[in-house]
Amino acid sequence: MKLCCRSCGSSSLLPVIDLGLQPLANNLLPPAGACADQPAARLKDERMASDAVVGNNILVPKGL
């Protein structure tokens, strides 16, 4: 699937930062700090080559 910028229509993406898999927001770990089986999503920002619009193009599945 080819992604396009909603602002300019460009499909030329440039990487900005890729933090890999990160725990979901508001998903606090138990005091023991057990992180096994914790849901995570990829956190990766890219920007359009034709303008300064930056965004995350990763969708987190519902129910995660």
Side-chain angles (χ1 to χ4, degrees), residues 14-35:
L14 300 172
V16 174
I17 190 167
D18 187 347
L19 298 175
L21 289 176
Q22 297 291 317
L24 300 180
N26 297 326
N27 193 16
L28 300 175
L29 294 175
C35 27

Side-chain angles (χ1 to χ4, degrees), residues 2-55:
K2 192 83 166 167
L3 298 174
C4 295
C5 177
R6 291 182 182 180
S7 176
C8 69
S10 173
S11 61
S12 179
L13 300 171
L14 300 172
V16 174
I17 190 167
D18 187 347
L19 298 175
L21 289 176
Q22 297 291 317
L24 300 180
N26 297 326
N27 193 16
L28 300 175
L29 294 175
C35 27
D37 300 325
Q38 293 292 322
R42 187 161 183 190
L43 183 56
K44 176 181 176 185
D45 283 345
E46 297 177 323
R47 80 171 181 87
M48 295 298 151
S50 58
D51 56 25
V53 175
V54 176

